[in-house]
């Protein structure tokens, strides 16, 4: 009995470890809910996090839980202004410690999405760049067409590269063929210098993917 209680206690207090990840990661948006929320799984299909955007907020706020029960809040991502145009989004853990931030590059993101990622020391660490702007444009145009729009998720699938300021590529996020464009994959294509970089990148991609889905 004591062993069972110990196991139950372990799962009840499970933490999210975004520093030691088994890539590729799978992001799947839920269908049929008002909120924009998705589940992140690793290569073994183990749930890493449940990401939920709070509704009816003038300032964007994202909550990252250990799972869909929403009992254990591990991270919060919050904007520094009303609207997301050129806003900065700061990540804090459950103890209120800042883990980094991501900034959308305003006018530079109108045609081709671009975000800058800063570490917890406020130093520019990475850029997130859309690989092909035309893919995103076509996806946005055809997704609004009745019936046909359902199938665009199998044809137009944007990709985003995470790279260092010197041009070294580290990760790629891509939209997978799926109905309603609800599935994404994060692949590691380069080396990170330390586990904290993985954590900062994944938190940045969580926020970016919600903003890009809002754009169309």
């Amino acid at each position: 009995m004591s062993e069972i209680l110990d196991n139950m206690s372990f799962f009840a207090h499970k933490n999210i470890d975004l520093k030691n990840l088994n890539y590729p990661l799978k992001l799947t948006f839920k269908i049929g809910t008002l909120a924009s929320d998705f589940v992140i799984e690793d290569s073994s299909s183990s749930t890493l996090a449940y990401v939920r955007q709070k509704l009816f907020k003038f300032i964007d706020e994202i909550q990252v839980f250990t799972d869909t029960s929403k009992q254990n809040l591990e991270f919060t991502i919050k904007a520094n202004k009303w609207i997301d145009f050129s806003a900065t989004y700061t990540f804090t853990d459950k103890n209120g410690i800042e883990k980094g931030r991501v900034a959308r590059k305003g006018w530079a993101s109108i045609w081709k999405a671009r975000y800058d990622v800063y570490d917890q020391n406020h130093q520019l660490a990475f850029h997130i760049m859309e690989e092909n702007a035309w893919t995103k444009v076509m996806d946005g145009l055809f997704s609004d067409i009745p019936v046909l729009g359902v199938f665009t998720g199998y044809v137009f699938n944007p990709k985003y590269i995470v790279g260092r300021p010197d041009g070294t590529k580290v990760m790629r996020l891509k939209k997978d063929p799926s109905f309603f464009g609800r599935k994404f994959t994060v692949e590691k294509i380069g080396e990170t210098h330390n586990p904290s970089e993985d954590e900062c990148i994944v938190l940045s991609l969580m926020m970016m993917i919600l903003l890009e889905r809002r754009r169309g």
Side-chain angles (χ1 to χ4, degrees), residues 12 16 22 29 72 95 119 129 141 154 157 161-162 176 181 192 199:
I16 297 175
N22 296 317
F29 277 82
N72 300 315
N95 298 313
D119 62 23
M129 298 284 291
L141 287 175
Y154 280 95
N157 297 295
I161 288 290
V162 181
D176 299 328
T192 47
E199 181 181 67

Side-chain angles (χ1 to χ4, degrees), residues 23-51:
Y23 296 91
L25 308 181
K26 296 292 184 180
L27 288 66
T28 305
F29 277 82
K30 298 180 70 176
I31 295 178
T33 62
L34 291 175
S36 293
D37 48 2
F38 58 92
V39 174
I40 302 180
E41 298 178 334
D42 64 12
S43 59
S44 64
S45 298
S46 297
T47 299
L48 295 175
Y50 171 59
V51 183

Side-chain angles (χ1 to χ4, degrees), residues 64-102:
V64 183
F65 298 91
T66 54
D67 52 44
T68 55
S69 70
K70 297 181 289 184
Q71 292 183 352
N72 300 315
L73 177 64
E74 291 289 320
F75 297 97
T76 300
I77 306 175
K78 193 170 183 179
N80 67 344
K81 57 176 66 176
W82 278 20
I83 55 178
D84 62 16
F85 192 77
S86 296
T88 297
Y89 302 85
T90 302
F91 331 126
T92 54
D93 66 13
K94 59 185 177 183
N95 298 313
I97 299 174
E98 183 176 332
K99 311 299 288 186
R101 58 184 63 187
V102 61

Side-chain angles (χ1 to χ4, degrees), residues 111-113 128-141 143 152-161 172-178 180-187 205 208-209 212-213 215-216:
W111 170 246
K112 191 173 184 179
I128 304 175
M129 298 284 291
E130 194 169 352
E131 283 196 290
N132 188 334
W134 279 110
T135 302
K136 189 60 178 288
V137 171
M138 299 302 289
D139 183 39
L141 287 175
S143 63
T152 60
Y154 280 95
V155 181
F156 305 112
N157 297 295
K159 297 178 182 179
Y160 306 85
I161 288 290
R172 174 184 286 111
L173 181 148
K174 62 179 182 179
K175 189 171 94 171
D176 299 328
S178 61
F180 306 108
R182 71 189 192 94
K183 295 183 178 180
F184 296 78
T185 298
V186 177
E187 302 172 318
L205 291 176
M208 188 213 74
I209 199 171
E212 291 304 300
R213 275 175 59 91
R215 287 176 62 196

